[in-house]
């Protein structure tokens, strides 16, 4: 007997138990499955729900009503969509469900959604390609100031060798409110973006550290003794300022456990929304630490309110930071972002103080679509002088 | 104004966008959420589905029909359950859905399920506790024999310091058919089990390497250029024997990138089902490599069929391996496992050849309930002589 035939035999035997679960999923698929990304960049969603009265899909622009065929399969095809990663869910008679035929999901605070990528343009950076991959680690470090062991995500680029001698610069990349140390590597697609930009020679190989920015929490939901609880966005700001003050502990840990370039020229910090506010304050409070600063839809609130040119403390901190100005101080926000005016006030302040920065204004609002895009624009600017 | 009030203000502003998603989830919860583990170890499941005709829950013993209250919320309470991690799903008018109020899921091949832990007994080892945590990394290594970069999961115990001098023994832990490098750390709860047993002093601090055992695949679904596809169990055995032959590449990589005890006394190998078969053959083919061998519900098939005492090649391989016998050769299987007779044949063969092993026979069949339990029994036996 040939080896190949024997392996088929084994497959049949071993599948006895495995196929129960596999078939559960297959039962709910139509031919070709759901979602299907069509050649014109539209998506066809489908779900078998013979007894349902109204089935809709949410997350791809307007809510779309699906229609039922004679076999009980509901489906709908969207308009052609811009290349991006889309999060979506079905509404079946008022019950929010994931796509039963799609095993790919992402969590945003307390809700899971199904995900799908429409390729092309920037979205090709969000897809995993056959390029050398960096390693991704969930790492616990000690925070004496916050009084706990805390978890962060660390990306080391392809070729990083802990026993080698090559040193790498470090980007600290911070999440927004309700997020955690998983946000940038999951919804943010940071790992694929880094792998792809580095492989294309468009970004320097770098270490990327994605800590948990919630000063009162140690780690993402389910990763601590608190058990399997439902996260709340408000938890993120329960200890205002504590995370920012603790930040040098993270830099110390990273510099002592990884082959870093342990100086200002080898460090960048960026974050979105709350994490943009964190990046803003941390870089202000540690003027010798970061040579590259990225504020993505940032909550630039000084002492919790807006910025004010009359604030002596802020003025002095900015003067200290810009005395040896960062190589890049990059502010990005969408025209429709609810933090747009706050960022405008801050830019006016920087202009009046003649402090140098770069500004990127995009369409859209306070969305992962923008934050992923900002990351693809920011990374190529780092550590190249 | 006080800082705390200001932070509440920020929370309100920033939640503008975040709350859309959070509330989506909350809309589908009744007071207290779903699932609720009750004091008597029963679980109450609930879901709001006012327009549904039949709602059931699968995965906790018998399928249970739920009943609807006047607000459209369906619910059911199980019998008291044994402590364990349970995977479950709802069936709403024939549509398989996850529990919309539970963000915790696990994937088994091509199906996602919601998960919940009933505490007590062994299940307390499956829950994350406030103990020192090991780090978990997704690591790419080069496999010249399989012709690709491949991904594995590596656990390093709390206190592991890549810049230090302390060396650790290594357990290689292999998944079953349809699984991948994520299986043991997700459904297998290996990380929590290791953290807890090590913290209790019941297991030696060790490195645990969980490779991808599918010789024709590089990594879990979604982690390669193949994109977001639906996995099939059959993929696992498409290259019969290739993974086992490539195994020394993994050991070489681990010994050169981690602070290991790079000798037989510092290495263990164990696996479930197909991974049990892998562990069996790999340890046979590399008699000087592993001092501890664990066969969990193992597919002990020689050249694809059962074992036979008349097989000269197998007899010689066993003689070589047991000339310097492993400190522990541990066979575990459930009474109802479809591989029970195969393992019985193998034990008879070992008995007839007077080769030493230990045998653990449990209730139940080819299930994660058993494999998690076997891991908790196997780990305390390793690297202690």
């Amino acid at each position: 007997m040939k080896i190949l035939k024997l392996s088929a035999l084994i497959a049949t035997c071993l599948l006895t138990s495995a196929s129960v679960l596999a078939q559960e999923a297959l039962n709910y698929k139509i031919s070709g499955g759901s979602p299907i990304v069509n050649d014109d960049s539209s998506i066809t969603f489908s779900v078998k729900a013979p007894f349902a009265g109204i089935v809709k899909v949410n997350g791809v622009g307007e809510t779309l009503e699906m229609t039922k065929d004679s076999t009980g399969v509901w489906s709908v095809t969207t308009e052609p969509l811009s290349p991006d990663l889309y999060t979506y869910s079905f509404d079946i008679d008022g019950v929010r469900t994931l796509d039963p035929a799609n095993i790919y999901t992402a969590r945003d605070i307390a809700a899971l959604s199904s995900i799908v990528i429409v390729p092309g343009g920037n979205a090709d950076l969000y897809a995993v390609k056959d390029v050398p991959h960096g390693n991704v680690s969930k790492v616990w470090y000690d925070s004496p100031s916050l009084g706990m062991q805390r978890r962060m995500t660390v990306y080391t680029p392809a070729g990083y060798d802990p026993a080698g001698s090559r040193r790498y610069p470090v980007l600290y990349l911070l999440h927004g409110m309700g997020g955690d140390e998983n946000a940038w590597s999951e919804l943010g697609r940071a790992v694929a973006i880094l792998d792809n930009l580095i492989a294309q020679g468009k970004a320097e190989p770098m270490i990327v550290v994605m800590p948990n920015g919630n000063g009162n929490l140690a780690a993402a939901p389910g990763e601590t003794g608190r058990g399997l609880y439902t996260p709340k966005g408000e938890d993120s700001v329960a200890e205002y300022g504590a995370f920012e003050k603790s930040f040098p502990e993270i830099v110390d840990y990273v510099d002592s456990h990884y082959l870093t370039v342990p100086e200002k020229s080898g460090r960048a910090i960026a974050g979105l929304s709350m994490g943009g506010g964190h990046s803003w304050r941390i870089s202000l409070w540690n003027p010798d630490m970061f040579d590259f600063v990225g504020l993505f839809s940032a909550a630039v609130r000084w002492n919790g309110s807006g910025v004010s040119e009359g604030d002596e403390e802020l003025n002095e901190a900015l003067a200290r930071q810009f005395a040896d100005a960062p190589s890049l101080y990059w502010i990005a926000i969408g025209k429709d972002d609810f933090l747009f005016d706050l960022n405008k006030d801050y830019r006016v302040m920087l202009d009046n103080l003649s402090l140098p920065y770069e500004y990127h204004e995009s369409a859209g609002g306070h969305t992962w679509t923008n934050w992923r895009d900002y990351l693809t624009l920011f990374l190529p600017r780092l550590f190249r002088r």
Side-chain angles (χ1 to χ4, degrees), chain A residues 102-184:
Chain A
N102 182 357
I103 59 166
Y104 298 93
T105 67
R107 177 178 61 83
D108 198 4
I109 313 178
L112 286 174
S113 298
S114 298
I115 63 171
V116 60
I117 293 176
V118 174
N122 241 8
D124 286 344
L125 296 171
Y126 310 158
V128 178
K129 301 286 183 184
D130 283 329
V131 299
H133 300 297
N135 294 343
V136 179
S137 301
K138 302 297 178 182
V139 172
W140 292 85
Y141 73 98
D142 187 40
S143 172
S145 75
L146 297 175
M148 49 183 150
Q149 300 280 318
R150 307 186 76 247
R151 192 170 176 262
M152 56 189 176
T153 301
V154 178
Y155 171 90
T156 51
Y160 178 91
D161 180 358
S165 58
R166 177 168 175 184
R167 292 183 166 272
Y168 295 82
V170 183
L171 164 64
Y172 295 86
L173 188 58
L174 310 184
H175 63 79
M177 198 171 65
D180 52 55
E181 73 274 18
N182 294 344
W184 267 112

Side-chain angles (χ1 to χ4, degrees), chain A residues 297-364:
Chain A
S297 308
V300 281
R301 290 195 175 87
W302 190 247
N303 288 331
S305 60
V307 294
S308 157
E309 288 175 48
D311 192 315
E312 282 294 321
E313 194 190 346
L314 174 55
N315 282 341
E316 286 168 16
L318 281 168
R320 273 193 301 274
Q321 182 175 16
F322 283 84
D324 177 17
S327 294
L328 179 65
Y329 196 88
W330 197 77
I331 297 172
I333 196 156
K335 287 183 173 66
D336 304 328
D337 197 306
F338 73 100
L339 294 177
F340 185 86
D341 287 343
L342 193 66
N343 276 259
K344 189 175 174 187
D345 292 346
Y346 184 52
R347 285 186 290 116
V348 169
M349 181 176 179
L350 292 175
D351 290 338
N352 289 343
L353 294 168
S354 298
L355 300 179
Y357 65 93
E358 287 191 33
Y359 178 57
H360 173 74
E361 189 172 294
S362 70

Side-chain angles (χ1 to χ4, degrees), chain A residues 272-286:
Chain A
L272 71 91
S273 191
M274 178 183 85
H278 288 166
S279 301
W280 180 58
R281 282 186 293 277
I282 292 165
S283 66
L284 265 176
W285 291 345
N286 300 279

